[in-house]
């Protein structure tokens, strides 16, 4: 049963990759759709491999910075809104507003405020902030109301209620937010690099497209997808572990 | 231990009327009620008569619209701050990520005390949960969870114990057994206790006094002192006097 659960997806992937190779090799989808083998050859080419390596480091740096900053700000703001209910309405609307701003439109503004080099990190931080603000808020409010009543009756302070119950109950939701935010941070960083960052995967994507280096373009996109998927997968494992550790809140 | 006094207590809520305008409607009172030190009182009444509201007022979770709620001459919030209240609900409200022991430590942590292993052990024995110290709530039966919740309510030796339908979600057999368990647990320290229940039999079996509330807005309809000695047994439930009292109180509940 377990084996079958592994075999079918593996077979499916293999089939897709074969289809890719065949479609590319015979040029069935046009010149911009290269064969898989052609794309993989990019990774064997030393100068291009070096280029990709440098770019990965640059993009990962900005994405990780934006991701970390967005998580810290988002979680902190959500906790603050939770502790000061008076401000919650306003903070909710502010977060929605920040999220509604199109990232592309913000680019030029960020370049003149934080500069070309930091624009990718800033653009990564914005959607991460919003995702973490809302997932943390949902998690904090999702704690059992009865449990809150028991704690208040026992004489727990607001802070104790947060530390003993709500923060723990919010963990699965926080991790689930972090999982979704991985892709947002990567998108933000890559788009941010289009506004003239000195290096990064976004820059490689843009340059290879404009110079018609089709296999390099595809090779870069595969790298981006691989990074995003591994982050997502890692956090899925983390979320699962936390959920089973915390148990279902069926109270 | 505590003496409890509700005088002229009312509670009204705002709700939207037929045309969307805000209307105030009375949920409770005026209610006058005194409970003496160490008394076990059960509160029964039709759904929506404000039984649970009385409990929330005493727990300091809600404020009366008019009137006064005093416990030993103090506001319930003061007792909250002194960690002198214990409460248990129909849903056990245990921390699902903590073991039985961990859940029993919670009141001590909240009060800024270190829970000594001896007291935790005492509570586990009291709840009859030896061998389950490290089990999570999900691994316990419904009756066991309720016993943990009640033990947690008693952990800090509260002056006032509040029970809101603690056995409402249990099957009839377990519920009966839990009634006797509760009495046994209660007799160890005899805190002043107010319990809300839907079951007249349970009310008569456990209480020193049974108070029947009227329909909304809830007021005291009858206040009956029970003549039975403690500890009570299942024998008692087969006596004519027990049945007469249950019938009488049920009739009081049904008066329109």
């Amino acid at each position: 049963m377990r084996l079958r659960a592994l075999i079918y997806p593996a077979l499916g992937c293999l089939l897709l990759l074969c289809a890719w190779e065949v479609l590319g090799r015979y040029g069935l989808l046009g010149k911009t759709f290269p064969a898989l083998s052609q794309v993989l050859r990019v990774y064997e080419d030393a100068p291009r491999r070096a280029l990709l390596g440098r770019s990965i480091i640059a993009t990962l740096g900005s994405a990780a910075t934006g991701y970390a900053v967005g998580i810290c700000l988002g979680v902190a703001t959500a906790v603050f809104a939770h502790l000061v209910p008076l401000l919650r309405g306003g903070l909710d609307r502010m977060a929605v507003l920040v999220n509604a701003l199109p990232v592309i439109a913000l680019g030029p503004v960020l370049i003149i405020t934080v500069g070309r080099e930091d624009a990718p990190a800033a653009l990564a931080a914005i959607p991460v902030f919003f995702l973490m603000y809302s997932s943390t808020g949902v998690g904090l409010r999702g704690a059992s109301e009865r449990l809150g009543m028991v704690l208040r009756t026992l004489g727990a302070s607001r802070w104790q209620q947060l530390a003993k119950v709500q923060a723990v109950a919010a963990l699965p939701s926080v991790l689930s937010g972090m999982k979704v935010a991985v892709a947002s941070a990567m998108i933000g960083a890559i788009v941010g690099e289009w506004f003239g960052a000195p290096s990064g995967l976004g820059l490689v994507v843009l340059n290879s497209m404009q110079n018609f280096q089709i296999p390099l373009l595809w090779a870069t996109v595969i790298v981006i997808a691989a990074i995003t998927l591994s982050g997502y997968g890692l956090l899925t494992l983390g979320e699962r572990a936390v959920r089973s550790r915390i148990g279902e809140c069926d109270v | 231990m505590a003496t409890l006094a509700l005088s002229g207590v009312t509670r009204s809520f705002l709700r939207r009327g037929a045309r969307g305008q805000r209307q105030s409607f009375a949920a409770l009172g005026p209610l006058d009620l005194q409970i003496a030190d160490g008394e076990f009182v059960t509160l029964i009444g039709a759904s929506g008569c404000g039984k649970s509201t009385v409990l929330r007022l005493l727990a300091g979770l809600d404020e009366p619209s008019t009137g006064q709620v005093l416990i030993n001459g103090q506001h319930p919030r003061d007792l909250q701050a002194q960690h002198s209240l214990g409460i248990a609900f129909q849903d056990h409200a245990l921390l699902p990520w903590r073991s039985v022991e961990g859940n029993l430590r919670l009141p001590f942590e909240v009060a800024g005390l270190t829970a000594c292993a001896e007291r935790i052990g005492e509570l586990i024995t009291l709840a009859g949960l030896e061998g389950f110290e490290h089990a999570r709530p999900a691994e316990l039966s419904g009756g066991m969870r309720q016993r943990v919740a009640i033990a947690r309510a008693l952990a800090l030796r509260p002056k006032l114990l509040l029970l809101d339908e603690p056995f409402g979600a249990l099957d009839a057999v377990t519920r009966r057994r839990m009634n006797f368990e509760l009495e046994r647990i209660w007799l160890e320290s005899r805190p002043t206790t107010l319990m809300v229940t839907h079951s007249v039999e349970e009310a008569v079996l456990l209480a020193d006094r049974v108070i029947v509330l009227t329909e909304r807005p809830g007021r005291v309809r009858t206040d009956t002192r029970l003549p039975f000695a403690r500890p009570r047994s299942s024998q008692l439930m087969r006596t004519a006097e027990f049945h007469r009292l249950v019938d009488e109180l049920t009739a009081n509940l049904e008066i329109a």
Side-chain angles (χ1 to χ4, degrees):
Chain A
M1 198 60 212
R2 239 195 126 84
L3 199 66
R4 197 177 290 181
L6 282 172
I7 285 176
Y8 283 140
L11 275 178
C13 290
L14 200 67
L15 211 67
L16 258 171
L17 293 176
C18 286
W20 182 350
E21 180 65 27
V22 170
L23 288 171
R25 186 161 295 182
Y26 295 100
L28 295 174
L29 290 175
K31 280 202 166 121
T32 52
F33 196 94
L36 180 60
S37 52
Q38 223 181 325
V39 175
L40 291 178
R41 228 165 286 139
V42 172
Y43 301 125
E44 289 169 10
D45 180 36
R48 286 181 163 182
R49 206 166 55 209
L51 169 70
L52 281 176
R54 277 198 311 276
S55 309
I56 288 171
I57 290 169
T59 304
L60 265 187
S62 338
T65 308
Y67 187 63
V69 169
I71 288 173
C72 293
L73 283 179
V75 170
T77 314
V79 169
F80 185 62
H82 186 75
L83 289 175
V84 191
L86 187 70
L87 293 179
R88 215 189 100 200
L91 285 169
D92 277 357
R93 274 189 286 278
M94 186 200 73
V96 169
L97 195 78
V98 167
N99 186 53
L101 292 172
V103 170
I104 294 282
L106 271 180
V109 178
L110 284 173
I111 281 166
I112 57 168
T113 48
V114 303
R116 280 175 205 286
E117 261 139 68
D118 291 329
L123 275 177
I126 290 167
V128 174
F129 164 81
F130 173 77
L131 280 167
M132 293 317 295
Y133 176 78
S134 41
S135 67
T136 308
V138 166
L140 289 173
R141 286 190 293 279
S144 148
E145 201 184 325
R146 279 276 194 245
L147 213 41
M149 287 166 83
V150 169
L151 263 104
R152 269 154 66 205
T153 307
L154 288 173
S157 64
R158 255 190 119 68
W159 183 251
Q160 282 177 323
Q161 290 176 51
L162 180 74
K164 304 267 179 226
V165 179
Q166 291 149 346
V168 187
L171 275 182
S173 179
V174 168
L175 266 148
S176 148
M178 282 169 66
K179 181 178 77 179
V180 180
V182 170
S184 304
M186 280 301 282
I187 294 170
I190 286 162
V191 171
E193 286 165 356
W194 291 352
F195 294 101
S199 64
L201 291 169
L203 206 67
V204 179
V205 166
L206 208 62
N207 285 342
S208 56
M209 186 184 74
Q210 282 162 353
N211 300 325
F212 218 67
Q213 295 167 299
I214 301 302
L216 179 60
L217 173 61
W218 281 85
T220 315
V221 169
I222 289 174
V223 166
I224 293 169
I227 293 173
T228 309
L229 283 176
S230 1
Y232 188 90
L234 222 60
L235 280 155
T236 305
L237 291 180
E239 187 194 356
R240 229 178 261 167
V242 165
R243 271 192 205 279
S244 75
R245 183 90 186 77
I246 283 179
E248 283 313 308
C249 298
D250 59 347
V251 280
Chain B
M1 304 299 150
T3 318
L4 223 127
L6 285 83
S7 35
V9 169
T10 68
R11 181 72 176 96
S12 43
F13 295 96
L14 284 177
R15 73 170 170 198
R16 294 218 177 271
R19 274 169 291 143
Q21 78 283 27
R22 292 224 162 168
Q23 280 179 338
S24 162
F25 86 102
L28 188 69
L31 186 72
D32 291 285
L33 184 61
Q34 262 95 42
I35 297 178
D37 218 21
E39 245 183 339
F40 194 130
V41 174
T42 49
L43 202 57
I44 55 177
S47 292
C49 72
K51 302 186 291 283
S52 294
T53 306
V54 175
L55 216 85
R56 278 208 304 279
L57 292 171
L58 284 165
L61 297 170
D62 195 5
E63 290 288 327
S65 302
T66 63
Q68 208 175 27
V69 178
L70 289 175
I71 306 167
N72 279 351
Q74 287 181 302
H75 192 278
R77 286 270 164 73
D78 297 330
L79 274 95
Q80 259 187 17
Q82 297 157 17
H83 314 289
S84 302
L85 296 174
I87 198 163
F89 292 103
Q90 175 173 341
D91 40 9
H92 52 84
L94 298 172
L95 296 172
W97 55 85
R98 284 201 187 190
S99 65
V100 168
E101 244 179 35
N103 269 289
L104 291 175
R105 267 201 305 272
L106 182 70
F108 297 94
E109 291 169 14
V110 162
L113 303 167
T114 29
C116 63
E118 202 183 325
R119 177 69 179 147
I120 297 289
E122 240 175 72
L123 288 166
I124 284 172
T125 312
L126 193 67
L129 287 165
E130 297 97 335
F132 291 91
E133 291 88 345
H134 304 295
R136 299 275 194 91
E139 296 157 351
L140 302 175
S141 70
M144 290 163 111
R145 289 179 202 166
Q146 278 320 111
R147 292 206 296 260
V148 180
I150 291 170
R152 176 180 63 185
L154 290 167
L156 298 176
R157 305 183 200 280
K159 291 181 178 146
L160 175 62
L161 175 65
L162 300 165
L163 302 170
D164 192 355
E165 287 264 4
F167 310 126
L170 302 179
D171 64 88
V173 177
T174 311
R175 185 171 189 155
R176 182 56 28 84
R177 218 179 48 233
M178 290 298 295
N179 286 160
F180 291 112
E181 284 285 300
L182 174 61
E183 196 199 21
R184 179 183 64 75
I185 293 170
W186 181 80
L187 281 172
E188 304 244 334
S189 52
R190 287 181 179 257
T192 309
T193 301
L194 185 71
M195 170 160 130
V196 164
T197 177
H198 272 118
S199 158
V200 179
E201 283 198 358
E202 184 172 276
V204 175
L205 184 61
L206 285 169
D208 298 315
R209 267 165 76 196
V210 179
I211 292 175
V212 179
L213 291 188
T214 62
E215 310 234 314
R216 194 169 57 221
R219 276 179 299 259
V220 176
R221 172 173 283 148
T222 60
D223 184 344
T224 313
R225 191 166 288 280
L226 302 176
F228 310 124
R230 289 189 191 274
R232 295 178 183 171
S233 64
S234 47
Q235 297 284 318
L236 170 68
M237 303 181 70
R238 290 192 277 276
T239 62
E241 178 68 355
F242 183 86
H243 285 285
R244 193 190 60 74
L245 276 162
V246 169
D247 290 345
E248 182 190 310
L249 289 166
T250 308
N252 284 341
L253 269 180
E254 285 165 356
I255 300 169

